[in-house]
Amino acid sequence: VLGNSFGRIFRVTTAGESYAGAFRKNDEIPQLLRGGLTTIVDGIPDGVQIEAPEIQKELDKRRPGQSEIDTPRSERDKVYILSGVMENGMSTGAPITLYISNGELHDEHVEKHASYKGVVRPGQATYSYFEKYGRNMDWFGAGRASGRETASRVAAGALAKICLDKMGVDVVAYIRSIGSVQSEEVSYEDAKKNYKKNIVNCPDLDAGSQMIELIKEIRDKDDSVGGTVEVIIKGIPSGIGEPVFDKLDAVISHAIMSIGAVKGIEFGLGFDYKTKMGSEVNDVPKFNEHSGKTDFLTNNSGGILGGISNGDEIRFRVVIKPTPTIARKQETIDVMKKENIHLSISTRNDPCICPRIYPVCEAMTRIAILDSMYCSFGYKAVKKMINDK
Ligand SMILES: Cc1cc2nc3c(=O)[nH]c(=O)nc-3n(C[C@H](O)[C@H](O)[C@H](O)COP(=O)(O)O)c2cc1C
């Protein structure tokens, strides 16, 4: 109800902030535990082999400080499995607790954030958090609205991936545009082939080089830039999704729009539908006599009809706003002192969030898909038991 959990059967709960206040300065707590994130994942069935390095692999995709266009922050994001898995790596069916340490938590960074207490960062969550939580809000590094919270989602998504891999369902995300640099739409196969071939993860390699140059230019002007991420889901069976409030596209949208800095999502043709005729864009089904299955001649709907998967690949795009925190001088307010002020902030930030957000989009998609499969196959299994009697 209070928005810290997602999913109906496969359910993920995250706790922790950018610098996780309560255990930041407590000497009774070992250094390793200070400022970390906790994730509880309920719904991994028993008997699944879960190893920390597989989760770590996904976390390392999101971790800052890995390339010349990242924030210089280098939180090591090491993951520990605390419950729900036996010593042989087998899940027990109980909730799995994951702990992600923050190996780069230094007093100087905390003090820098403390010096901005009361200062609203334009475009950041500070103002609305203050309206809701008042003086008790976490002022350090955006608290729960921090991009750091998304490490928890990536860890949970890695567990969903282990399950989806076994069912032949794959999720891949890539950068489609940054600022005015637009890449071509690529096939699932090309997105896999050129996955992470450049530091922006754009499989259109020419466009990728231009994106990197653009990000550097914008960083040197103390500014930031937005972009789009494209996500493909391959191998999802038809019949997944529920009427009417839990349509598959509605559940995926909820998952994706819950990520900070995401401002929009479109499936298939998306907003391009607005100027089209039905005769141009309807996906025509054809019965395939060889396979006995139905093929669609086009996939403008993005693989979902009536909120239920039609067996085609699911494709959607997500728009990401420019990183709100920028070094350039801006007008703002101090909500504690009730003053108009100028701000040029010098904490560490990414000039573009896209290269760090695509693994979060993959993770939230996997969580939404696995949860939706639980619901739809649960319905099917109960229906069968009733109708077989
Ligand atoms: C992976 C990731 C990294 C982010 N890094 C930053 C950052 O370095 N600086 C910043 O101001 N916002 C960053 N954000 C964005 C904020 O989380 C978010 O935009 C802000 O809290 C405002 O919320 P809204 O954009 O959803 O309205 C990041 C978000 C994500 C998902």
Side-chain angles (χ1 to χ4, degrees):
V1 182
L2 293 179
N4 296 302
S5 303
F6 180 85
R8 294 151 291 180
I9 300 178
F10 182 71
R11 194 159 171 80
V12 172
T13 301
T14 75
E17 301 83 11
S18 192
Y19 289 106
F23 44 138
R24 190 169 54 230
K25 280 260 173 188
N26 186 340
D27 288 338
E28 287 172 16
I29 296 173
Q31 184 67 32
L32 179 71
L33 292 180
R34 294 189 204 166
L37 301 160
T38 307
T39 314
I40 298 180
V41 180
D42 204 357
I44 296 289
D46 65 277
V48 181
Q49 188 80 33
I50 307 278
E51 303 291 349
E54 281 202 60
I55 307 170
Q56 196 65 54
K57 205 165 83 193
E58 291 300 308
L59 279 170
D60 287 348
K61 286 194 216 162
R62 192 216 70 101
R63 187 163 54 84
Q66 299 188 85
S67 83
E68 51 177 338
I69 56 163
D70 268 1
T71 163
R73 237 174 23 231
S74 147
E75 300 138 354
R76 270 179 311 153
D77 286 355
K78 184 164 164 47
V79 69
Y80 298 89
I81 301 171
L82 302 187
S83 77
V85 179
M86 297 300 279
E87 48 291 18
N88 61 0
M90 279 293 162
S91 61
T92 62
I96 296 180
T97 307
L98 303 173
Y99 186 80
I100 303 167
S101 69
N102 184 350
E104 289 293 312
L105 184 66
H106 299 303
D107 283 348
E108 59 182 292
H109 302 144
V110 176
E111 277 155 25
K112 193 165 250 174
H113 278 293
S115 69
Y116 292 118
K117 188 168 179 176
V119 175
V120 167
R121 293 195 221 170
Q124 253 281 6
T126 348
Y127 180 76
S128 39
Y129 267 51
F130 184 74
E131 289 291 303
K132 184 172 167 78
Y133 300 106
R135 288 164 182 263
N136 295 321
M137 71 176 270
D138 182 343
W139 292 96
F140 295 89
R144 288 285 282 165
S146 164
R148 181 150 174 74
E149 182 272 340
T150 62
S152 282
R153 299 159 181 247
V154 172
L159 297 186
K161 180 176 188 299
I162 293 170
C163 298
L164 291 172
D165 281 351
K166 290 184 187 298
M167 295 188 279
V169 181
D170 193 23
V171 175
V172 62
Y174 66 91
I175 308 297
R176 184 71 196 269
S177 72
I178 286 179
S180 57
V181 182
Q182 184 81 28
S183 81
E184 293 298 318
E185 177 180 303
V186 300
S187 65
Y188 164 78
E189 290 72 23
D190 284 346
K192 293 292 278 187
K193 193 175 89 198
N194 281 352
Y195 192 72
K196 285 182 73 186
K197 282 271 168 70
N198 50 33
I199 52 178
V200 285
N201 189 28
C202 176
D204 175 346
L205 302 179
D206 286 343
S209 307
Q210 292 174 46
M211 287 173 187
I212 294 165
E213 286 314 304
L214 179 69
I215 294 175
K216 283 186 196 161
E217 252 173 58
I218 283 169
R219 180 196 54 198
D220 294 345
K221 290 180 185 158
D222 287 342
D223 215 338
S224 61
V225 64
T228 54
V229 173
E230 181 143 326
V231 183
I232 308 169
I233 308 169
K234 196 78 178 169
I236 186 162
S238 58
I240 307 299
E242 308 302 324
V244 285
F245 298 110
D246 288 343
K247 289 165 74 183
L248 186 58
D249 33 0
V251 172
I252 293 173
S253 299
H254 183 181
I256 295 291
M257 289 293 297
S258 75
I259 305 169
V262 170
K263 297 310 280 184
I265 182 167
E266 57 175 2
F267 288 80
L269 265 194
F271 281 82
D272 282 347
Y273 270 124
K274 66 184 181 291
T275 55
K276 302 290 185 199
M277 309 293 149
S279 55
E280 288 176 274
V281 293
N282 285 340
D283 296 320
V284 173
K286 280 268 181 254
F287 189 64
N288 185 325
E289 285 171 12
H290 298 293
S291 66
K293 291 184 177 158
T294 300
D295 296 327
F296 289 89
L297 297 186
T298 51
N299 185 14
N300 292 321
S301 69
I304 302 174
L305 289 166
I308 296 173
S309 59
N310 66 3
D312 232 327
E313 91 183 1
I314 294 176
R315 209 178 252 266
F316 60 90
R317 278 169 303 284
V318 181
V319 64
I320 317 296
K321 76 183 195 183
T323 319
T325 307
I326 51 174
R328 187 180 283 212
K329 195 171 174 189
Q330 298 176 94
E331 286 184 287
T332 188
I333 55 172
D334 186 317
V335 282
M336 303 289 238
K337 296 183 188 148
K338 296 193 186 311
E339 275 175 13
N340 290 317
I341 56 167
H342 281 96
L343 167 71
S344 53
I345 203 154
S346 64
T347 60
R348 303 154 302 160
N349 290 285
D350 295 294
C352 179
I353 296 173
C354 292
R356 294 195 45 226
I357 214 171
Y358 77 88
V360 188
C361 294
E362 288 179 342
M364 288 310 296
T365 303
R366 289 180 179 125
I367 292 166
I369 287 291
L370 184 57
D371 184 50
S372 298
M373 289 176 81
Y374 256 121
C375 294
S376 297
F377 284 127
Y379 171 83
K380 233 176 173 173
V382 172
K383 179 173 84 170
K384 189 168 185 314
M385 286 169 77
I386 293 167
N387 290 344
D388 282 356
K389 279 282 164 205

